[in-house]
């Protein structure tokens, strides 16, 4: 290796160290500040779901869950092994770090795909691009199935690209297994399937013959089947799982009210430049990469453009779902920007090196400087919740506030989303049954309320004569809370 080559390798290594440190720092800063911001509604749903499963309640039987079983099985482990499920407790903190781990895995896989296409520096650019995106920063620690589904789906594509590059059929088995895990986390992973099929078919068309393609397909199918069998044997989901995973999503939920995770302006601010960069980078990558890389690039592009049919089939799209389609976009940006830079024939690498270093510093700094979620105070009713006895179970349409206070909801009511209520999978009669057995009811403020049925509200008022109200929340109990800081919120008898 020449001195110049050694120097460039050292600079690339230091760029990776700087980028990795910046990315990890940004995620940990977001995680450490989670108590001061309001997460999405789904965070509270998954929090209560994982807590219930960790305590021994069976998913799909005692705990309603509308997604495949792998993610709640993973995230419930800290709640089963560690003490304390409230905010900041060991179990909750460990579970948050699991989510950060999935986010880092997404970044690493996106960088790995880019490294195969355009080299180490392009991979560093991809890692920084995906890490600095607002939805990735926003959800890097929140409980949700999109992160593991994206990580495993990206891993499937990376393994398939490695299989294509090396000819090692074990990589196809790994791709199939990773695809099974992705679907076991969330069905959105199906949208990376066409890219895997493209790589399989392209192998037979480039002279390797149909027998080799069939053998590769068999290896991928074997890996897929083995992973599916392992998940089923370890988790043992009941038959009711199929109805909650598939049939639930086929229900007519038109006209439901949704609580947006971000304003349209917020989404446009990052999606517009991101999409424009993807388009420009895709043109550059397809035009200036070597012919042997066209098929892998086409597989990444195919994953990216499938956001269009996904949007048509799943409307409206939530911001956390866009993480799945941000991965191929970041890969295309890293690959296309590198191809354009090399095409320009620049003799000096320092501008690109400096730009990567600055982007890394911005990735770390924005975690302190750019808020991505609304701040949250401590509602006055929190003092009342803290005064309830350990083990109290409350019915609520704000699972997250209860979890922060270390209180559980009935397992079947861990999910009280608008979609579930509108689908008929949570009728008023079941809510009333759970209310009658609960120790109290906490109703969210009107702008986030989900329990608005007159029958449900009448039952709440009839069963719980003691009422506390503050900051839009209403807490109904059978007996008063013996705490002076709670008395000020008392309403009525």
């Amino acid at each position: 290796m020449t001195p110049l080559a050694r120097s460039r390798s050292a600079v690339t290594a230091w760029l990776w160290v700087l980028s990795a440190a910046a990315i990890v720092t940004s995620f940990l800063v977001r995680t450490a500040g989670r108590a001061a911001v309001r997460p999405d509604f789904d965070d509270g749903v998954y929090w209560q779901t994982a807590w219930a499963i960790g305590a021994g309640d069976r998913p799909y039987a005692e705990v309603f869950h509308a997604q495949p079983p792998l993610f709640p099985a993973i995230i419930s482990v800290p709640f089963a092994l560690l003490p304390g499920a409230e905010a900041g407790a060991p179990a909750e903190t460990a579970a948050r770090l699991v989510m950060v781990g999935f986010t880092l895995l997404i970044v690493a896989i996106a960088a790995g795909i880019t490294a195969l296409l355009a080299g180490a520096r392009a991979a560093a650019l991809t890692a920084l691009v995906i890490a600095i995106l607002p939805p990735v920063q926003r959800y890097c620690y929140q409980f949700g199935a999109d992160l593991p589904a994206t990580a495993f789906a990206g891993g499937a594509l990376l393994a398939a690209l490695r299989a294509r590059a090396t000819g090692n059929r074990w990589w196809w088995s790994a791709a199939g297994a990773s695809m099974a895990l992705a679907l076991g986390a969330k069905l959105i992973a199906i949208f990376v399937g066409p890219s895997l099929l493209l790589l399989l078919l392209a192998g037979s068309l480039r002279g390797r013959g149909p027998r080799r393609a069939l053998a590769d397909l068999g290896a991928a199918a074997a890996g897929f089947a083995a992973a599916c069998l392992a998940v089923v044997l370890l988790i043992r989901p009941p038959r009711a799982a199929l109805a909650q995973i598939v049939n639930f999503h086929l229900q007519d939920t038109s006209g439901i009210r949704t609580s947006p995770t971000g304003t349209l302006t917020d989404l446009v601010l990052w999606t517009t430049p991101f999409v424009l960069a993807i388009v420009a980078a895709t043109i550059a990558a397809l035009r200036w990469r070597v012919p042997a890389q066209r098929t892998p690039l086409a597989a990444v592009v195919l994953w990216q453009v499938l956001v269009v049919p996904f949007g048509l089939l799943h409307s409206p799209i939530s911001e956390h779902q866009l993480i799945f389609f941000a991965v191929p976009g970041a890969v295309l940006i890293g690959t296309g920007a590198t191809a354009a830079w090399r095409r320009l024939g620049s003799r000096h690498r320092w501008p690109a090196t400096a730009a990567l270093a600055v982007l890394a510093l911005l990735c770390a700094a924005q975690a302190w400087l750019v808020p991505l979620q609304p701040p949250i105070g401590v509602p006055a009713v929190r003092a009342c919740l803290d005064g309830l006895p350990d083990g109290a179970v409350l019915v609520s349409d704000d699972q997250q506030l209860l979890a922060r206070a270390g209180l559980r909801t009935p397992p079947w009511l861990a999910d009280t989303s608008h979609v579930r209520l509108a689908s008929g999978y949570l009728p008023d009669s079941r809510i009333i049954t759970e209310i009658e057995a609960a120790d109290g009811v906490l109703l969210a403020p009107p702008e986030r309320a989900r329990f608005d049925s007159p029958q449900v509200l009448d039952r709440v008022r009839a069963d719980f004569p003691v009422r506390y109200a503050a900051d839009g929340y209403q807490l109904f109990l059978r007996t008063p809370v013996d705490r002076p800081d709670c008395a000020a919120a008392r309403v009525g008898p």
Side-chain angles (χ1 to χ4, degrees), residues 9-24:
S9 296
V11 171
T12 300
W14 279 109
L15 277 175
W16 260 108
V17 170
L18 178 62
S19 300
I23 291 168
V24 172

Side-chain angles (χ1 to χ4, degrees), residues 179 189-201 299 302-303 306:
M179 187 64 185
I190 193 67
F191 285 91
V192 83
S195 297
L196 302 180
L197 291 176
L198 173 62
L199 293 174
L200 276 169
L201 293 175
L302 179 58
W303 181 2
L306 286 178

